[in-house]
Amino acid sequence: MKISFNWLKDYIDFDLSPEELAEILTDTGLEIEKVEQFDSLPGGLRGVVVGEVLETAQHPNADKLKTTKVDVGAGEPLDIVCGAPNVATGQKVLVATVGTTLEPKPGESFQIKKAKIRGEVSMGMICAEDELGIGESHDGIMVLPADTEVGLPAATYLGMESDHVLEIGLTPNRTDGFGHFGAARDLAARLNLNKPTKAKLPEIKEMPAPSSDEMGLSITIEDKEGCGRYAGRVIKGLKVGPSPKWLQDRLRAVGQSPINNVVDITNYVQLETGQPLHAFDLAKIDGKEIRVNTLPTGTKFKTLDDEERTLDESDLMISNASGGMCIAGVFGGSESGVKESTSGIFLESAWFNPVRVRKTAKRHGLNTDASFRFERGVDPNGTIYALERATALILEIAGGELHGDVFDEVGEVPNPAEVSFSTKRFEVLSGAKLTDKELESIFESLDIEVISKEGDSYSLRIPTYRVDVTREVDVIEEVLRIYGYNSVEMPTHMRMSVSIEDKPSRHEILAGLSKMLVGRGFNEMMSNGLTQSSKILDVTGDEGQAQLVPMLNPLSQELDVLRPNLVVSSLERVAYNLNRQSERLRLFEIGKRYLKLESGYEENTMLTLTMVGGRQSENWNNSNESVSASDVKGHLESALEFMGVRFVLDRSEGDAFIGAGVSVKVRNKVVGQIGSIAQKALKAYGIKKEVWMAEINLDACLETVKHAATTIKALPKFPSVRRDLSLLVDTAVSFADIERIGLKRGGKLVQEVGLFDVYEGKNLPAGKKSYAVSFVLQDPEKTLNDKVIDKTMSAIQRELESSLGASLR
């Protein structure tokens, strides 16, 4: 949000530079992100001054040019070549000196330089209106009154507005900072620490008596839950036209484009007080009825931007007898707005339910100045001041007459919060020690009412414009931000408690795991816990809906649910990178997944490994092989071994996202899976390359680590022996099945089972494939002999034949 330095001085008298002001506001919690100079004309006509033409003569080399000498009040008169037909000796003119940059039209700038024009030196330019950007005339140079002071800056002569604009990074809780007066109020509270200072809103002049006792309108609030307060006035006989220059300059300074005097005044008051207003063309209110209601789902409504929108039955509307006029608190309609032909208006000031406004704005993809304020919560007690302030300005600038009194209906609006405050608690939490007088002065400057005081405890009433201050700790923060965090003295002693953490440390394991995976060539990704439900349901179908955790107030349709797994986040990042020609990906993420189960909600820390593209970086001496399941499996096994997790791999049917592959079991419980992403999932996320992925539940894995005993073994002294088997098995048999049997039947002698060749196809029976499997045997206590080796291998072979139907080739 932008605030004007000059505008701020309407509410508080201060003697600070823009930089000093920015520092104070940042200290009080209104962080200033940027300070910029604003000029009502680009460049502020800096370098343009009043000059007096001392001499004129015909240019010796050009019939339509004249040479002049011009006094600009600094040093010797300037030689300037001028082509204007009306230049004459004795005139007071506006002169752009050398080095001045002029921008007569937006984006069309040029710099005045010392030049030779047809052989004569020219040290500036005598300007016409259009060359300065202050008019359209180019009939000749501007001739000023004879008594105009020589050397006077053009900006001063023309009364141009020069200002500084401060951009506030307003946090969602600081609804009190929506307008200039909110910033002035915080500034006054800080300055009040040193000398009495108070920010004041402009006084509203006494309104003229209404020319009629009746408004001529019937107003009904049908949806009282959506509209807690609704106020308005009828003004007739006004003249819609351009706003005065001061009002246009104020709006332009903070990035608003002037429209007409009535609309500009509503915007001005909103930027002043933080209260949005809306003006309806009285002639467009059919039936002379205003209804605050909802319309049936599917109703079409055209907004100010000429977009036709489909309403939902929960969208709060301002309607007339024949239909909607405005989406309440969000956006006006195309028909009921103020136009040049408007002669009467109904001026609205209201308090709408923040949740309702926010849902409507998000549903229609709208983010307006009004919705920005209403959805965060405006002051329900500020509606009447804003209404009367705008009314007074409209009567002053646009004319007109009042009809009837103010309409004001108050329903369910937030009441002022009452909070207990202990000075002892304040000292413990803040480290600052303030006297009762200092505390009460800060309370007063923040409009916090002291209801009562007993000992060190205060009972306080919070103003309704501070919707976020509801607890004692909130009040402590309020006092501290005004007192100044930098004013809190550092204590002479620091006290801290020693925390005892269970071993092994979860944090250390996960940090080490991240480093290990980075060392293996992976890049860590960190993604949003929110994702898009429609893409998930494209993959899972309607049955996936039951496990999704929806957001009550989604930021957008693309972020409307918590992710049910980390696979969806990985696929989003894969698609993003592939679209930017990054074709070889090694990604991992450690993050949360969220599920809704019959037993309740479940939240788990998960690990995903994602691999796409070539096994190695492209090089002339590398084969162009793509990654496969074995690559992902190898990295995942290393990760589990690093954490000290004992696991078993088994076949997996997969799920909607990860197809059939390998499951990871810890203590006979499936904690993860490895496989390629299903084609349906790839299509939903717009991915055209094969994606291999592993996902495991780290919470389940780390739970087993707590109970695992670390065993230290000496390096084996005796040699290992390798035996190979060429097995013919059914195509449904996986290597994991063979590995499990080999390790089980081999007992402590079999140290490793490996797969070094797979063959399917020619010369093999239908439904069969060939596995070439290696077995590494080793006894830590003695050298193995052939008898023991043959006995062990025979036992393994028999088990493979009986359990898997395997045979030797």
Side-chain angles (χ1 to χ4, degrees):
M1 193 189 81
K2 294 180 178 180
I3 61 171
S4 157
F5 183 81
N6 291 346
W7 194 343
L8 212 56
K9 290 187 174 182
D10 288 354
Y11 316 112
I12 179 175
D13 184 26
F14 61 89
D15 185 20
L16 299 167
S17 69
E19 291 71 27
E20 291 170 330
L21 174 63
E23 185 176 350
I24 290 175
L25 290 178
T26 298
D27 283 348
T28 61
L30 297 176
E31 183 181 359
I32 303 300
E33 298 178 337
K34 188 165 53 176
V35 179
E36 293 180 322
Q37 184 161 337
F38 167 79
D39 298 297
S40 54
L41 284 177
L45 298 186
R46 280 180 284 279
V48 182
V49 296
V50 175
E52 181 178 4
V53 181
L54 302 178
E55 299 177 14
T56 60
Q58 185 62 44
H59 193 293
N61 303 313
D63 294 339
K64 294 185 178 181
L65 298 178
K66 293 181 181 179
T67 60
T68 66
K69 283 190 179 294
V70 183
D71 177 16
V72 294
E76 294 295 318
L78 301 178
D79 292 316
I80 298 177
V81 175
C82 180
N86 64 328
V87 65
T89 302
Q91 289 176 337
K92 298 290 179 66
V93 294
L94 292 179
V95 180
T97 57
V98 172
T100 300
T101 298
L102 298 178
E103 190 173 341
K105 294 181 180 179
E108 297 181 8
S109 62
F110 62 93
Q111 188 178 47
I112 304 300
K113 300 178 181 179
K114 178 181 177 180
K116 269 194 174 185
I117 302 176
R118 295 289 186 93
E120 296 294 318
V121 173
S122 184
M123 298 292 292
M125 183 173 77
I126 303 175
C127 301
E129 281 185 6
D130 64 334
E131 291 166 335
L132 296 174
I134 60 175
E136 299 295 329
S137 173
H138 194 69
D139 294 337
I141 59 171
M142 288 181 65
V143 180
L144 312 181
D147 60 351
T148 308
E149 179 187 347
V150 173
L152 184 71
T156 304
Y157 172 77
L158 295 170
M160 283 180 50
E161 177 89 0
S162 184
D163 198 357
H164 284 83
V165 176
L166 295 82
E167 190 163 335
I168 301 176
L170 197 65
T171 52
N173 66 305
R174 291 301 307 274
T175 58
D176 60 306
F178 282 154
H180 280 71
F181 185 71
R185 190 165 44 209
D186 269 11
L187 176 62
R190 171 59 68 86
L191 297 180
N192 190 59
L193 296 175
N194 300 317
K195 67 175 183 178
T197 309
K198 186 77 174 175
K200 294 182 180 178
L201 281 165
E203 291 185 9
I204 300 173
K205 298 177 183 177
E206 185 176 348
M207 296 287 180
S211 60
S212 169
D213 292 338
E214 299 295 329
M215 294 179 68
L217 286 178
S218 167
I219 302 175
T220 309
I221 302 177
E222 298 176 11
D223 190 334
K224 297 184 183 296
E225 184 270 337
C227 179
R229 185 170 191 173
Y230 196 80
R233 265 196 182 278
V234 170
I235 306 172
K236 295 182 179 180
L238 52 78
K239 175 65 177 175
V240 176
S243 296
K245 184 176 182 301
W246 69 265
L247 180 52
Q248 293 192 36
D249 286 345
R250 285 282 169 92
L251 294 177
R252 286 194 180 102
V254 294
Q256 294 267 354
S257 298
I259 299 171
N260 60 55
N261 48 13
V262 174
V263 175
D264 291 350
I265 287 168
T266 61
N267 288 335
Y268 177 83
V269 174
Q270 173 182 272
L271 293 166
E272 178 178 67
T273 64
Q275 171 67 44
L277 303 169
H278 191 76
F280 296 93
D281 187 334
L282 208 56
K284 300 296 183 180
I285 303 178
D286 293 345
K288 302 304 177 186
E289 293 182 14
I290 290 180
R291 301 171 183 170
V292 185
N293 61 359
T294 58
L295 298 176
T297 296
T299 301
K300 303 297 183 182
F301 179 70
K302 185 179 286 188
T303 47
L304 276 171
D305 56 0
D306 282 332
E307 287 283 330
E308 188 173 73
R309 303 181 188 276
T310 303
L311 300 179
D312 184 84
E313 62 182 4
S314 62
D315 293 335
L316 190 66
M317 298 291 294
I318 309 299
S319 305
N320 57 32
S322 60
M325 297 190 296
C326 173
I327 303 177
V330 181
F331 210 20
S334 61
E335 298 297 325
S336 61
V338 174
K339 301 177 178 64
E340 191 175 344
S341 60
T342 299
S343 61
I345 63 168
F346 174 72
L347 185 61
E348 168 198 277
S349 181
W351 183 92
F352 298 120
N353 186 306
V355 174
R356 293 279 294 277
V357 172
R358 186 170 186 273
K359 285 183 175 181
T360 294
K362 297 303 177 187
R363 185 181 300 113
H364 294 289
L366 292 168
N367 182 21
T368 62
D369 287 340
S371 68
F372 175 80
R373 289 163 171 79
F374 277 125
E375 68 188 31
R376 288 161 175 80
V378 298
D379 181 10
N381 292 321
T383 54
I384 295 301
Y385 175 85
L387 177 65
E388 295 294 69
R389 170 76 165 143
T391 300
L393 287 171
I394 289 172
L395 294 176
E396 177 186 337
I397 295 171
E401 298 177 337
L402 298 177
H403 281 249
D405 291 328
V406 173
F407 175 86
D408 183 23
E409 184 172 328
V410 182
E412 294 183 15
V413 295
N415 293 315
E418 294 188 2
V419 178
S420 296
F421 178 89
S422 165
T423 55
K424 289 182 180 178
R425 179 71 172 158
F426 171 77
E427 290 170 9
V428 169
L429 288 182
S430 69
K433 198 164 188 175
L434 276 67
T435 65
D436 289 353
K437 184 178 179 181
E438 289 173 321
L439 280 172
E440 289 165 15
S441 175
I442 292 175
F443 290 154
E444 183 181 359
S445 67
L446 293 173
D447 295 333
I448 297 175
E449 179 187 350
V450 177
I451 301 172
S452 64
K453 181 179 184 298
E454 187 174 336
D456 74 326
S457 181
Y458 286 89
S459 179
L460 305 173
R461 183 175 289 118
I462 310 301
T464 49
Y465 62 75
R466 286 313 305 267
V467 296
D468 61 319
V469 180
T470 57
R471 305 166 298 168
E472 180 184 40
V473 69
D474 298 329
V475 179
I476 292 173
E477 183 181 358
E478 288 297 290
V479 173
L480 266 180
R481 71 181 183 84
I482 298 303
Y483 177 69
Y485 290 99
N486 294 332
S487 300
V488 179
E489 294 182 3
M490 288 292 292
T492 55
H493 296 85
M494 297 291 288
R495 296 181 177 87
M496 63 185 69
S497 57
V498 178
S499 62
I500 300 174
E501 186 178 23
D502 292 337
K503 296 293 182 181
S505 166
R506 177 187 176 93
H507 170 76
E508 289 178 3
I509 291 175
L510 295 183
L513 177 62
S514 295
K515 290 180 181 178
M516 187 272 287
L517 290 170
V518 169
R520 295 179 72 89
F522 281 79
N523 293 302
E524 183 172 11
M525 56 177 274
M526 296 182 183
S527 53
N528 199 333
L530 298 173
T531 190
Q532 186 174 353
S533 63
S534 60
K535 285 189 176 181
I536 295 172
L537 296 178
D538 285 345
V539 179
T540 63
D542 293 339
E543 58 268 24
Q545 182 73 55
Q547 288 193 322
L548 296 181
V549 181
M551 301 300 295
L552 294 176
N553 298 307
L555 295 172
S556 68
Q557 293 180 350
E558 287 74 32
L559 299 170
D560 61 338
V561 293
L562 292 169
R563 60 184 176 188
N565 54 53
L566 269 62
V567 174
V568 295
S569 299
S570 298
L571 292 177
E572 290 170 356
R573 294 307 98 205
V574 167
Y576 180 90
N577 282 277
L578 289 178
N579 288 338
R580 286 155 181 79
Q581 287 74 52
S582 183
E583 308 235 339
R584 184 176 180 271
L585 302 174
R586 303 289 183 274
L587 304 174
F588 80 92
E589 180 175 15
I590 297 173
K592 297 282 189 179
R593 74 160 181 199
Y594 310 88
L595 296 173
K596 184 169 66 174
L597 307 175
E598 291 183 3
S599 58
Y601 292 100
E602 184 175 284
E603 179 179 334
N604 304 111
T605 302
M606 308 292 289
L607 165 69
T608 54
L609 303 180
T610 306
M611 300 184 74
V612 182
R615 180 167 286 156
Q616 296 176 306
S617 297
E618 187 176 8
N619 202 316
W620 68 272
N621 63 349
N622 287 341
S623 60
N624 195 24
E625 292 183 359
S626 297
V627 293
S628 64
S630 61
D631 297 292
V632 185
K633 172 176 169 288
H635 290 298
L636 182 62
E637 287 177 337
S638 296
L640 292 169
E641 289 167 2
F642 172 84
M643 292 186 289
V645 177
R646 295 183 178 178
F647 61 93
V648 174
L649 300 179
D650 201 351
R651 282 182 297 174
S652 167
E653 296 300 322
D655 57 27
F657 282 92
I658 298 180
V662 177
S663 66
V664 182
K665 290 184 177 180
V666 174
R667 293 186 172 180
N668 293 320
K669 179 181 178 183
V670 176
V671 299
Q673 57 183 330
I674 304 167
S676 64
I677 298 299
Q679 284 300 318
K680 196 173 183 180
L682 293 176
K683 183 179 179 182
Y685 286 86
I687 300 170
K688 296 181 180 179
K689 297 193 72 170
E690 189 173 35
V691 179
W692 290 92
M693 197 175 294
E695 183 182 44
I696 61 167
N697 185 333
L698 285 177
D699 288 337
C701 292
L702 293 175
E703 187 64 29
T704 67
V705 175
K706 291 181 181 179
H707 310 290
T710 302
T711 304
I712 299 174
K713 295 181 179 179
L715 292 173
K717 298 178 181 179
F718 302 96
S720 61
V721 177
R722 170 171 164 160
R723 290 288 187 269
D724 296 340
L725 295 179
S726 181
L727 301 172
L728 188 66
V729 297
D730 293 337
T731 53
V733 174
S734 69
F735 169 69
D737 298 326
I738 297 171
E739 182 182 34
R740 184 177 65 255
I741 290 172
L743 293 173
K744 180 180 178 182
R745 298 301 299 169
K748 67 175 184 178
L749 296 184
V750 176
Q751 306 297 318
E752 184 182 334
V753 180
L755 179 66
F756 62 90
D757 189 38
V758 179
Y759 177 73
E760 291 182 75
K762 190 176 179 181
N763 299 326
L764 289 184
K768 296 290 184 177
K769 61 183 175 182
S770 173
Y771 276 159
V773 183
S774 64
F775 298 84
V776 177
L777 295 84
Q778 187 178 44
D779 192 325
E781 299 176 358
K782 59 185 178 182
T783 300
L784 292 173
N785 55 43
D786 290 341
K787 184 178 180 180
V788 173
I789 296 170
D790 292 342
K791 181 180 178 182
T792 303
M793 291 304 299
S794 295
I796 294 172
Q797 184 178 335
R798 286 194 300 273
E799 182 68 23
L800 290 172
E801 291 171 351
S802 61
S803 298
L804 303 180
S807 61
L808 293 179
R809 286 191 68 192

